[in-house]
Amino acid sequence: MTEGMAMFEHDLILIKKGEPIRDEDDNLTYEEIKRKILCSESSVSRADFYSAAQTGLEVNKVVQVNPIEYDDETRAEYRGKTYDVIRTYGPIDVNGFEMLEIYLGSRLGYG
């Protein structure tokens, strides 16, 4: 294991919409395809928090992953909670390693 790999200390489950299926009531739903990868957590900047809020989104977490492991998933489970993927940024250089930042959050509900 390389020294930089120690940065990945948390599990992240990426969730992608799979093939359409019919439930027992003949309603169309989609299976979820889940994959577990490793990530590191970074802090949400104040600017990112307020910028997202202006567009009706809430950023709760920012995680960094190896860019080749992300495949346009739209949801993720992190530390026992499910989030929407709000946006991605990168790849960026973090201590000599390429990382992709994934912004996790939810849509704000207005009354």
Side-chain angles (χ1 to χ4, degrees):
M1 180 182 331
T2 64
E3 185 177 313
M5 293 303 283
M7 295 170 45
F8 296 124
E9 52 198 17
H10 303 288
D11 289 337
L12 177 70
I13 298 172
L14 296 171
I15 305 168
K16 191 175 213 177
K17 188 188 290 189
E19 295 294 318
I21 55 174
R22 297 267 178 199
D23 66 14
E24 64 245 11
D25 297 323
D26 204 35
N27 295 314
L28 185 63
T29 62
Y30 292 89
E31 70 175 324
E32 289 186 331
I33 300 169
K34 296 183 177 185
R35 295 185 300 120
K36 186 190 311 185
I37 65 171
L38 293 174
C39 70
S40 61
E41 185 175 344
S42 48
S43 54
V44 178
S45 74
R46 186 175 297 160
D48 287 327
F49 181 83
Y50 288 112
S51 175
Q54 289 177 345
T55 60
L57 303 171
E58 179 179 24
V59 175
N60 301 103
K61 303 283 182 192
V62 178
V63 294
Q64 296 174 335
V65 302
N66 184 331
I68 64 171
E69 293 189 295
Y70 180 70
D71 190 26
D72 295 324
E73 286 85 358
T74 57
R75 297 177 58 226
E77 291 175 14
Y78 182 65
R79 294 187 169 204
K81 293 186 179 178
T82 302
Y83 299 96
D84 292 320
V85 173
I86 301 299
R87 72 178 179 103
T88 60
Y89 182 74
I92 60 171
D93 182 276
V94 177
N95 299 324
F97 294 92
E98 265 195 1
M99 300 285 186
L100 179 73
E101 289 184 330
I102 301 176
Y103 290 72
L104 304 174
S106 59
R107 305 202 184 303
L108 296 172
Y110 293 102

